[in-house]
Amino acid sequence: MAQGLDARAVTIYSPILDKLALVEERLQDLAQTSIPELEPLLDHALSHGGKRVRPALTLLASSMIPLESENPIRMATGVELLHLATLIHDDTVDDADTRRGRASVSSLWGKEVAVLLGDYLFATSATLVCDTGNLRVVRRFAETIMELASGEIIEYFNTFNPQQELDRYYDRIYRKTASLFRTASETGAVLSAANEEQVCALKDYGYNIGMAFQVVDDLLDILGDEAELGKPVGNDLRHGVLTLPSILLMQKYPLENPIPDLFSAPRQDESLARTLDMIRNSSIVPDCFAIVRDYCDRANRSLQCLPSCDSRESLETLADYIRERSR
């Protein structure tokens, strides 16, 4: 089982714990390679993998309509490898020294090696997805890689740009985060031979959960502490990235917010502290909470056409869990 699963996650994953353990085994098997130079890199990248939310989504969606097949395991493993590849590339672009409280690949082995390792994991994930033999799933997976990359490009070219609209933000977090959540649940449904209404329901669920998940992360970057986050509070703003709380601050206080000063940077620490204080001491935080709750409510409503079962209950509980993270 993946390290880092708390008791709540184990409860949510209970219908698919045995299958998630198989995904974990496959991830660890991939670290055993005949290429000695790769072994320490893969061991570092594939261990300590967090809560494995995305592969769990694939397995829960696929078990909604039980079908004896190895394909959901293959797909769930591919989904997690794609996620890990994007984290390695993100850390490389962002010059991040740590990830989940551990040294990043780029800080240990350099940017060149990190890019190559990310590429290796991308290719490995694609191989697993091709092994499902399902063209619809393969195409969706390829589209997801395009969306993830375009989200990174959009973010990169808009860093330190204080003139950003909410619609652009929502499009960016769909591409960078929710697209993979959507793919995880949608492909799980396709590979279990669910009907089209059920596939669409689980696709919508994944989209809404992914959007809620990212907004919560953006909130925690403002409200959390460094020990919890594994990175400095306000890290997005330090790197010139506007998220929902900071965009709402600019809309609410167009003439007196400190973000333009922060981005021009002569007194960055002072401007950052003022920005965080203004967000925390305004209606912005509860407004963001309301947006998270709305996404979670939409996610659970999308499940109404699905049969009542343990997996559906777990998906509903997962939405509740994400909602609670925003309180």
Side-chain angles (χ1 to χ4, degrees), residues 77-89:
T77 308
V79 162
E80 183 64 5
L81 284 172
L82 176 55
H83 172 55
L84 294 173
T86 63
L87 295 184
I88 292 169
H89 279 178

Side-chain angles (χ1 to χ4, degrees), residues 235-255:
N235 197 55
D236 290 328
L237 283 165
R238 289 180 190 273
H239 287 87
V241 177
L242 287 182
T243 60
L244 181 61
S246 49
I247 292 172
L248 292 180
L249 178 69
M250 297 196 69
Q251 289 184 346
K252 191 175 183 68
Y253 303 105
L255 300 178

Side-chain angles (χ1 to χ4, degrees), residues 16-325:
I16 47 97
L17 280 175
D18 55 341
K19 294 179 180 178
L20 195 58
L22 292 175
V23 171
E24 197 66 30
E25 286 180 18
R26 294 196 176 193
L27 290 170
Q28 298 313 313
D29 287 346
L30 289 169
Q32 310 303 314
T33 172
S34 61
I35 306 171
E37 293 85 356
L38 261 176
E39 280 199 23
L41 302 172
L42 291 171
D43 181 66
H44 185 83
L46 299 175
S47 60
H48 305 284
K51 292 184 169 60
R52 306 295 198 212
V53 178
R54 294 155 190 83
L57 275 180
T58 299
L59 297 173
L60 287 168
S62 68
S63 61
M64 196 77 59
I65 316 290
L67 180 71
E68 288 301 320
S69 171
E70 283 289 306
N71 280 340
I73 304 294
R74 295 185 182 104
M75 188 71 214
T77 308
V79 162
E80 183 64 5
L81 284 172
L82 176 55
H83 172 55
L84 294 173
T86 63
L87 295 184
I88 292 169
H89 279 178
D90 287 356
D91 290 343
T92 305
V93 171
D94 296 342
D95 289 319
D97 291 330
T98 60
R99 163 66 62 177
R100 296 171 179 147
R102 302 171 68 225
S104 65
V105 172
S106 56
S107 70
L108 290 174
W109 287 281
K111 286 189 172 186
E112 295 85 354
V113 170
V115 169
L116 292 170
L117 179 61
D119 291 346
Y120 182 87
L121 293 179
F122 274 123
T124 306
S125 68
T127 299
L128 286 168
V129 174
C130 288
D131 285 344
T132 67
N134 187 299
L135 184 58
R136 178 175 179 179
V137 162
V138 171
R139 181 176 181 84
R140 177 58 210 154
F141 195 74
E143 290 170 349
T144 306
I145 295 174
M146 292 170 60
E147 288 166 348
L148 290 165
S150 62
E152 281 294 328
I153 290 169
I154 291 167
E155 181 172 289
Y156 179 83
F157 280 103
N158 283 279
T159 53
F160 298 102
N161 172 17
Q163 306 302 321
Q164 296 183 51
E165 300 295 328
L166 268 179
D167 287 348
R168 192 66 162 163
Y169 163 78
Y170 287 127
D171 177 64
R172 170 162 51 90
I173 68 168
Y174 164 71
R175 292 173 185 274
K176 284 195 61 180
T177 300
S179 63
L180 186 52
F181 277 77
R182 169 199 158 179
T183 295
S185 54
E186 179 182 356
T187 57
V190 170
L191 291 172
S192 67
N195 64 43
E196 197 59 33
E197 181 185 21
Q198 293 165 335
V199 170
C200 288
L202 285 160
K203 175 183 74 175
D204 290 345
Y205 174 88
Y207 167 82
N208 285 295
I209 284 293
M211 296 294 283
F213 191 92
Q214 186 58 56
V215 175
V216 169
D217 266 11
D218 292 346
L219 275 167
L220 291 177
D221 187 63
I222 301 292
L223 302 175
D225 57 61
E226 187 167 344
E228 175 189 5
L229 297 172
K231 58 184 179 180
V233 177
N235 197 55
D236 290 328
L237 283 165
R238 289 180 190 273
H239 287 87
V241 177
L242 287 182
T243 60
L244 181 61
S246 49
I247 292 172
L248 292 180
L249 178 69
M250 297 196 69
Q251 289 184 346
K252 191 175 183 68
Y253 303 105
L255 300 178
E256 51 192 283
N257 77 81
I259 290 175
D261 287 342
L262 172 62
F263 283 1
S264 62
R267 300 183 306 279
Q268 189 179 49
D269 288 342
E270 178 185 331
S271 298
L272 178 62
R274 185 167 166 236
T275 301
L276 296 177
D277 284 344
M278 288 183 73
I279 292 172
R280 291 166 180 164
N281 296 304
S282 70
S283 64
I284 290 169
V285 171
D287 289 346
C288 291
F289 289 164
I291 290 168
V292 172
R293 289 193 296 271
D294 182 57
Y295 277 124
C296 291
D297 289 343
R298 289 187 205 176
N300 277 345
R301 284 197 301 271
S302 71
L303 301 176
Q304 291 176 359
C305 70
L306 297 169
S308 295
C309 61
D310 290 342
S311 293
R312 172 177 163 175
E313 184 177 339
S314 287
L315 291 174
E316 291 169 344
T317 306
L318 176 60
D320 294 338
Y321 176 67
I322 292 172
R323 182 190 290 111
E324 289 165 12
R325 287 180 73 214

